[in-house]
Amino acid sequence: MLKGKTAVVTGASRGIGRAIAAKLASEGANIVINYVNRREEADQLTQDIENLGVKVLAVQADVSIFNQAQNLITRAKEEFGSLDILVNNAGITRDGLLMRMSEEDYDRVMDVNLKGVFNCTRQAVPLMVKQKSGRIINITSVVGLVGNAGQTNYAASKAGIIGFTKSLAKEIGSRNITVNAIAPGFIETDMTSDLPEKVKELSKESIALKRFGKPENVADAVYFLASGMGEYITGQVISVDGGMAF
Ligand code: NAP
C-alpha cells in the first residue's frame, strides 16, 4: 500500500503513464498527473482517480522546459506536503533513418525524453533528500539496451536515461532514495498504434511470449519498485518486454 504517499507521474494523460497513475492511486497514493497537450484526457483521469478516494492534481507542463518541470514538482509538494515517488514517464518518438533525420527531430526527442528526466529529477531530489526517503522510477525502453534501426535519437535518449539512473542511484543511495529504470518492450499505446502492420508482425515474432504488452504490465512493475517490496532495489534496469531482448 502507498497510503499517504505522493506520486508525480509525467506524461500521465495517456498510455503507460495513465496506467501507472491509476495503479499508484488504486494502492492509496495521492497523485499529480502531468500532461502537455491533452487536457481532456487529463481531466478524465483526474475524475477516475478521484473516484478511488485519493487526492489528485493535474498539472500542465512541458517537461523539456526547466521552469515548467520545476513548477510541476513544486506544486506536488505544496499541495500534498511531500514528494515520495517520481515516475519520469513522458516520452516521444520522431523516428527516421539517420541519413534523413533532421536536427530538430534529434533535439526534440533528446529534450523531452532525456532532458525532461533531468529537469524533473533535479527539482525532486533536494525534496527527497530533506525527507530522507524517495523512489525515482525512469521509463526507458528495450531500444535503449539493444538499439533499433530508425530510432537513433530515441535509442540515444533511452540509453542516456540508463546512465543517468545508475549514476544517480550511486549518488543518493546513502540518502535512502532508490533510482531505477523500467524498460518496456512493445506496449499497445498511441505511441505504437501507428506503426506499419509489417513492423508490428516482425516485432511480435521477436517476443518470446508472442504477444504485445499492456500499459498495466508496466504499471505493475512501477508499483513493485515504489512499494515496500522494492526497498532494497536500486540502480537497476528491469525489462517488461515479454522476452523481447535478452
Ligand atoms: P503515449 O501513449 O504516446 O503517451 C505519451 C505521454 O507523454 C502523453 O501523456 C503525453 O502528454 C506525454 N508527453 C509527451 N511530450 C511531453 C512533454 N514534453 N512534457 C510532458 N508530457 C509529455 O506514449 P506511451 O507509449 O504511453 O509511452 C510512455 C513512455 O514509455 C515513454 O517514455 C515511452 O518512450 C516509453 N516506452 C513506450 C513503449 C511502447 O511500446 N509504448 C515502449 C518502450 C518505452 P499529452 O497526452 O498531453 O500529449
Side-chain angles (χ1 to χ4, degrees):
M1 279 293 280
L2 300 173
K3 202 164 166 37
K5 306 271 186 205
T6 302
V8 174
V9 184
T10 68
S13 40
R14 291 182 281 140
I16 293 171
R18 184 190 169 90
I20 293 169
K23 175 69 185 173
L24 300 182
S26 74
E27 297 295 338
N30 297 321
I31 309 287
V32 178
I33 295 169
N34 158 250
Y35 67 100
V36 64
N37 291 314
R38 308 275 189 112
R39 172 90 192 264
E40 253 175 52
E41 276 92 337
D43 286 346
Q44 181 59 55
L45 179 62
T46 303
Q47 194 67 53
D48 294 349
I49 288 181
E50 260 166 9
N51 292 340
L52 295 169
V54 295
K55 291 187 243 168
V56 57
L57 175 74
V59 179
Q60 197 263 338
D62 180 339
V63 295
S64 72
I65 299 173
F66 190 74
N67 291 344
Q68 294 188 20
Q70 212 171 12
N71 177 55
L72 166 68
I73 302 298
T74 308
R75 289 285 304 280
K77 166 83 177 154
E78 280 171 3
E79 292 282 331
F80 301 142
S82 68
L83 174 64
D84 306 291
I85 301 156
L86 170 63
V87 185
N88 286 306
N89 164 79
I92 58 166
T93 50
R94 295 265 180 100
D95 296 350
L97 296 174
L98 180 88
M99 283 197 291
R100 290 192 213 125
M101 187 176 290
S102 67
E103 184 184 9
E104 196 210 337
D105 282 351
Y106 182 84
D107 285 345
R108 187 64 190 149
V109 167
M110 295 301 281
D111 285 350
V112 174
N113 296 8
L114 184 55
K115 181 131 188 285
V117 172
F118 166 77
N119 288 344
C120 294
T121 309
R122 174 67 184 79
Q123 190 66 12
V125 165
L127 302 178
M128 290 178 170
V129 166
K130 222 170 172 182
Q131 278 173 205
K132 300 191 171 67
S133 69
R135 302 283 165 89
I136 298 169
I137 300 155
N138 299 321
I139 307 300
T140 175
S141 166
V142 287
V143 167
L145 292 166
V146 299
N148 193 25
Q151 290 197 307
T152 49
N153 51 356
Y154 183 76
S157 72
K158 294 299 184 180
I161 287 176
I162 293 171
F164 180 99
T165 300
K166 288 174 182 283
S167 301
L168 187 62
K170 289 182 178 176
E171 259 181 55
I172 59 177
S174 64
R175 308 303 189 102
N176 192 31
I177 302 166
T178 68
V179 192
N180 291 289
I182 291 178
F186 193 117
I187 309 294
E188 286 177 316
T189 68
D190 290 349
M191 186 176 273
T192 47
S193 65
D194 285 346
L195 289 170
E197 277 310 313
K198 207 175 149 212
V199 173
K200 287 188 190 174
E201 275 315 305
L202 281 172
S203 299
K204 201 179 274 181
E205 258 322 291
S206 72
I207 300 171
L209 293 178
K210 303 294 174 205
R211 57 186 162 82
F212 298 139
K214 299 191 209 71
E216 291 72 21
N217 299 136
V218 181
D220 286 343
V222 170
Y223 171 59
F224 177 77
L225 289 173
S227 73
M229 293 181 285
E231 71 168 15
Y232 201 58
I233 301 173
T234 197
Q236 303 303 307
V237 183
I238 297 177
S239 292
V240 179
D241 68 353
M244 192 179 201
F246 63 94

